[in-house]
Amino acid sequence: MVKNSAASLLTSVDDLFTTQEERDEAKRETIMEIPLSQISDFPNHPFKVKMDESMSNLVESVKSYGVLSPIIVRPKDNGEYEMIAGHRRKRASELAGKDNIKCIVQNVTDDEAIILMVDSNLQREQLLPSEKAFAYKMKLDAMKRQGKRTDLTSVPVAQKSTSRAKVGEIVGESQDQVRRYIRLTYLSQPLLDMVDEGKIAMRPAVELSYLTENEQEILLNTMEWEDCTPSHVQAIKMRQFSQEGKLNEGVIQSILQEEKPNQKEQFRMPKERISKYFAPGTSSQKIEETIIKALELYRKRQRKIER
């Protein structure tokens, strides 16, 4: 509390002894060439810099034309700079053998930097679920800190929901979808990798995120042994057992061994081939029951002939 009061006092003193024009000037962005060696990556940057074909094309472009769009950085206390937006362009410049890169230098706070970093990267076309998960969480936490009350009362639940809704509105996702993505940050890295690879779907992944670290480790080992992944229904069961304190290796194995609806072998026949045998409007269930009965009669008849 003393620390917060001191910070508030310093802010007030700063306001007293600087003009609005000077404060605006401090916030104003500048463009300059900065050595790549003086630019550090953004802490806990959630977006992956992939060495793919797109990166190869970007490297060739940088070799030929340089970086066409400046990256965004902010000054650090040691005289160097911290990356906000442009990690791919910085990496491409390094691979292209460049020493310097054109930068937009902005004096922004930690939370302003987080929001700017997330917003600039969310414009990319293809993002992994894990990238969205950590990006949404970082932005939501920053927005909460920016709107944090100065008294000692707790933040109402409604305010948290409003923050998620604001994030969702900005990124084009529903509030519930933002919540689902953020839940993925509670998954162990191997399970999260499986979500990125499409091996585990979003809905079961959200349910699994409520399991403890130890339970997730047991689940991962059992999945490897059984060579399968849980369905949404199976994940819900695991979460329920976990909440009851009854989830263990035996329970997980038993749940994973349950037959999934999509694992049952199905036989399909074009309806046109059998429609002439049934009155118009006959339900699919009635058709199925009639066919089964007909097959049973046919089998009995065949057995008589064989005798």
Side-chain angles (χ1 to χ4, degrees):
M1 183 174 180
V2 174
K3 186 177 180 181
N4 290 337
S5 300
S8 300
L9 179 60
L10 288 173
T11 303
S12 301
V13 170
D14 183 64
D15 288 343
L16 286 173
F17 291 97
T18 59
T19 65
Q20 184 61 48
E21 183 178 355
E22 289 171 332
R23 291 193 292 275
D24 290 342
E25 180 63 30
K27 287 282 185 181
R28 189 168 296 141
E29 64 184 35
T30 56
I31 299 179
M32 56 190 294
E33 290 274 344
I34 297 176
L36 292 166
S37 59
Q38 294 183 13
I39 304 172
S40 61
D41 291 340
F42 196 93
N44 301 315
H45 188 251
F47 300 98
K48 296 178 173 61
V49 178
K50 302 174 185 176
M51 303 306 296
D52 52 15
E53 183 179 354
S54 177
M55 174 60 77
S56 299
N57 293 336
L58 183 57
V59 170
E60 293 304 313
S61 175
V62 171
K63 286 180 179 179
S64 301
Y65 310 107
V67 173
L68 301 179
S69 179
I71 67 173
I72 302 175
V73 300
R74 67 170 180 160
K76 296 168 64 175
D77 293 337
N78 62 1
E80 296 188 349
Y81 300 87
E82 180 181 274
M83 174 75 72
I84 296 178
H87 285 75
R88 292 183 73 254
R89 280 166 283 169
K90 175 176 178 283
R91 181 57 180 152
S93 297
E94 291 171 342
L95 294 173
K98 302 291 184 179
D99 295 322
N100 303 320
I101 189 170
K102 187 177 293 185
C103 303
I104 297 174
V105 182
Q106 292 189 350
N107 286 283
V108 292
T109 65
D110 291 347
D111 290 332
E112 289 172 339
I114 288 173
I115 293 172
L116 180 57
M117 179 273 295
V118 171
D119 287 349
S120 63
N121 281 279
L122 286 177
Q123 306 305 317
R124 287 158 53 183
E125 292 183 4
Q126 294 182 337
L127 290 174
L128 296 171
S130 64
E131 292 177 316
K132 286 188 176 183
F134 285 101
Y136 290 172
K137 187 177 188 304
M138 290 178 72
K139 179 165 184 173
L140 181 62
D141 290 343
M143 290 174 64
K144 286 179 181 178
R145 287 191 295 268
Q146 285 186 327
K148 187 167 58 178
R149 297 175 61 177
T150 55
D151 59 21
L152 299 179
T153 57
S154 61
V155 179
V157 175
Q159 185 172 329
K160 295 179 182 179
S161 298
T162 301
S163 298
R164 279 201 299 266
K166 286 181 179 178
V167 172
E169 183 179 347
I170 294 169
V171 301
E173 307 264 20
S174 69
Q175 178 180 330
D176 286 341
Q177 189 69 351
V178 170
R179 177 188 59 79
R180 293 187 191 101
Y181 273 114
I182 292 176
R183 279 303 316 176
L184 298 183
T185 63
Y186 294 90
L187 287 173
S188 66
Q189 191 59 53
L191 289 176
L192 188 56
D193 289 342
M194 295 183 77
V195 178
D196 282 343
E197 294 163 5
K199 296 178 180 178
I200 300 179
M202 181 73 163
R203 294 174 69 191
V206 170
E207 298 297 330
L208 298 176
S209 72
Y210 289 93
L211 273 56
T212 66
E213 290 183 12
N214 184 55
E215 290 169 343
Q216 290 187 34
E217 180 65 26
I218 295 173
L219 169 62
L220 187 65
N221 293 333
T222 309
M223 284 166 50
E224 291 177 355
W225 177 260
E226 295 292 334
D227 191 24
C228 67
T229 58
S231 66
H232 186 216
V233 172
Q234 290 173 331
I236 290 174
K237 288 182 180 180
M238 291 182 197
R239 177 182 173 182
Q240 291 172 342
F241 275 101
S242 176
Q243 291 173 336
E244 296 169 3
K246 299 177 180 178
L247 190 65
N248 54 42
E249 184 176 356
V251 173
I252 291 175
Q253 186 174 24
S254 176
I255 292 174
L256 287 177
Q257 288 176 346
E258 294 174 354
E259 188 175 42
K260 303 176 188 176
N262 60 0
Q263 287 179 327
K264 296 178 181 178
E265 188 174 351
Q266 308 235 345
F267 175 78
R268 298 183 182 276
M269 178 184 292
K271 197 170 183 179
E272 295 77 14
R273 295 190 62 185
I274 57 176
S275 59
K276 63 181 179 180
Y277 300 107
F278 299 93
T282 304
S283 67
S284 297
Q285 183 177 356
K286 183 64 176 176
I287 292 174
E288 180 179 342
E289 291 173 352
T290 303
I291 292 175
I292 294 298
K293 288 179 181 178
L295 289 172
E296 288 174 349
L297 290 172
Y298 175 78
R299 184 171 61 177
K300 290 179 181 179
R301 185 177 178 182
Q302 287 299 106
R303 285 176 178 172
K304 288 182 180 180
I305 295 175
E306 290 171 1
R307 290 176 186 173

